[in-house]
Amino acid sequence: MARDVWFETVAIAQERAKKRLPKSAYSSLISASEKGLTVSDNVAAFSELGFAPHVVGAPANREMATTVMGQEISMPVMISPTGVQAVDPDGEVAVARAAAARGTAMGLSSFASKPMEEVIAANPKTFFQIYWLGGRDAIAERVERARAAGAVGMIATTDWSFSHGRDWGSPTIPEKMDLKTMVKMMPEALTRPGWFLRWAKTLRPPTLRVPNQAGRGEAGPPFFQAYGEWMGTPPPTWEDIAWLRELWGGPFMLKGVMRVDDAKRAVDCGVSAISVSNHGGNNLDGTPAAIRALPAIAEAVGDQIEVLLDGGIRRGSDVVKAVALGARAVMIGRAYLWGLGAAGQPGVENVLDILRGGIDSALMGLGRASVHDLTPSDILIPAGFSRALGVPAADAG
Ligand SMILES: Cc1cc2nc3c(=O)[nH]c(=O)nc-3n(C[C@H](O)[C@H](O)[C@H](O)COP(=O)(O)O)c2cc1C
């Protein structure tokens, strides 16, 4: 990557994305529910955890490769599904290419701006993320489309609440990019000429439709129409989750688990994996950081299913903390979205390289030759850090 666009940390990627993207596009990448208590805690909690480094005997080589739901990945980091990556003309395809170039897997959102067939062609290690939207028949059609497209696993997300009352305002995603909308948005776009030119060169305006909510080859409904359908669909029961897992029949993750009792129900449903997650602070504000809930959940079900974590990962050292506390791997959201906003595909590769470098330094400092050797003893966990949700009060940490 050219020296002038290369960045050294995720925080710098965020600054670059802020400078490069129109205000409304950038705000959609940072906003979260209500006051933002949860999104802030997701990040702050990692700063409360310390390391217990060794002084001599660091291993000459450090091993980072692992597997998630049967897919080999080069480090314990993969792409978390996020909707409408239209901050860049290549969107999810750029992210999938970057993930493939760095040897990791892609979670592809149901609300993505690119069709699943194009994304899977760019990265065969793609898990399709599904929302419970439209009832069993409509869901079964999407499952079959994902199977035909070659998705290697399914991620079910049930914990999204697009809350109103966001102190930073809700993102504006227009119904369609017609002339009237373009004229309205022009002043904002013109303050970001680099971004504007990149889109202008493609001769097509940002896609605000969600093609994976329709049949193959169809444009799909506008984002907010699909969102309305999701709001109008009765939320799934545990029986629905077991049905979906059975219908898919392959590797299956339930994303958004924050409680030990829910993790156990997920095991009973036959899932292969869960992600301990609060949707990056986009669900119920006041939910603690995902990393605080991880130790109790990993302890309860980590020997039966794969336990991942997402929420607040900004550095390689955060990845190492999560793995030491029981995660098999982490999924990243805003970190790669900022890379994408800052510099497209190379920006996402840059973010993945930053995380890899950070994991390597942390392993070296801890004297660990492999991510598989990490244990809680590598981490300084302050008293009262963990939150064991969904366990009898006497057992809660
Ligand atoms: C802009 C944005 C869009 C998202 N869209 C989805 C989505 O469509 N499906 C989903 O399962 N999670 C979605 N998420 C949640 C992410 O997958 C992930 O849980 C979260 O971003 C992790 O927190 P982090 O951003 O601090 O890494 C979204 C998150 C953001 C920030």
Side-chain angles (χ1 to χ4, degrees):
M1 183 187 245
R3 191 73 210 168
D4 57 337
V5 284
W6 179 84
F7 41 83
E8 192 173 340
T9 67
V10 170
I12 300 174
Q14 179 177 2
E15 272 170 33
R16 296 270 173 89
K18 187 176 182 182
K19 276 198 198 129
R20 189 164 174 266
L21 297 176
K23 203 170 161 223
S24 54
Y26 174 72
S27 74
S28 74
L29 304 187
I30 55 161
S31 66
S33 299
E34 303 201 345
K35 274 182 172 171
L37 297 171
T38 299
V39 72
S40 306
D41 195 37
N42 272 350
V43 175
F46 277 104
S47 307
E48 291 176 28
L49 294 171
F51 283 121
H54 281 290
V55 62
V56 169
N61 299 301
R62 277 80 51 196
E63 175 59 51
M64 282 182 246
T66 189
T67 60
V68 168
M69 294 208 291
Q71 298 303 310
E72 287 178 11
I73 53 176
S74 63
M75 60 176 164
V77 177
M78 60 168 273
I79 299 295
S80 205
T82 63
V84 199
Q85 292 167 16
V87 290
D88 180 87
D90 293 327
E92 294 79 5
V93 172
V95 176
R97 285 189 189 130
R102 295 302 184 263
T104 195
M106 167 88 186
L108 173 67
S109 169
S110 275
F111 277 32
S113 65
K114 297 283 181 195
M116 59 176 95
E117 291 76 12
E118 278 181 39
V119 175
I120 295 169
N123 187 342
K125 294 180 183 179
T126 293
F127 304 121
F128 181 62
Q129 176 263 317
I130 199 156
Y131 280 120
W132 190 261
L133 190 160
R136 285 193 180 188
D137 289 349
I139 290 166
E141 274 176 35
R142 292 203 298 282
V143 166
E144 292 318 319
R145 180 174 163 194
R147 198 192 309 283
V152 291
M154 180 136 301
I155 300 175
T157 304
T158 57
D159 72 332
W160 183 34
S161 73
F162 201 84
S163 75
H164 296 283
R166 295 170 158 234
D167 286 353
W168 22 44
S170 286
T172 28
I173 303 177
E175 279 275 299
K176 52 182 186 265
M177 219 13 127
D178 54 11
L179 192 63
K180 197 170 142 214
T181 314
M182 282 198 241
V183 170
K184 200 169 144 214
M185 295 189 81
M186 194 53 85
E188 210 193 309
L190 287 178
T191 61
R192 298 291 188 270
W195 181 87
F196 180 68
L197 270 178
R198 200 158 144 60
W199 276 101
K201 271 193 221 149
T202 68
L203 298 178
R204 53 192 167 85
T207 315
L208 306 164
R209 291 181 173 268
V210 286
N212 297 314
Q213 285 299 129
R216 183 178 178 168
E218 294 170 21
F223 179 90
F224 275 113
Q225 183 183 319
Y227 171 69
E229 266 181 64
W230 173 77
M231 290 276 282
T233 307
T237 60
W238 283 108
E239 287 69 35
D240 289 325
I241 298 299
W243 168 84
L244 181 58
R245 199 235 16 109
E246 175 90 35
L247 179 72
W248 172 248
F252 186 96
M253 178 193 297
L254 180 65
K255 177 170 176 280
V257 175
M258 283 295 292
R259 301 172 51 116
V260 171
D261 51 0
D262 281 358
K264 289 181 177 168
R265 299 287 301 261
V267 172
D268 294 342
C269 284
V271 306
S272 339
I274 54 173
S275 189
V276 177
S277 162
N278 48 43
H279 210 116
N282 274 302
N283 189 21
L284 195 54
D285 199 27
T287 306
I291 187 73
R292 297 189 196 279
L294 174 69
I297 293 177
E299 163 84 23
V301 300
D303 57 346
Q304 298 165 73
I305 53 170
E306 295 179 10
V307 176
L308 284 84
L309 169 135
D310 68 82
I313 300 288
R314 304 288 184 266
R315 293 182 178 275
S317 54
D318 297 337
V319 180
V320 168
K321 288 172 183 175
V323 173
L325 295 188
R328 186 176 187 92
V330 303
M331 303 202 291
I332 53 168
R334 290 179 182 82
Y336 78 82
L337 288 172
W338 292 328
L340 182 70
Q345 178 186 338
V348 180
E349 290 170 4
N350 196 154
V351 164
L352 291 170
D353 290 345
I354 289 167
L355 297 179
R356 171 176 285 278
I359 297 170
D360 193 49
S361 329
L363 285 177
M364 192 165 169
L366 291 169
R368 295 290 190 196
S370 163
V371 288
H372 301 284
D373 298 339
L374 291 164
T375 74
S377 69
D378 293 310
I379 307 295
L380 190 67
I381 310 170
F385 175 83
S386 301
R387 302 280 188 279
L389 308 180
V391 294
D395 300 335

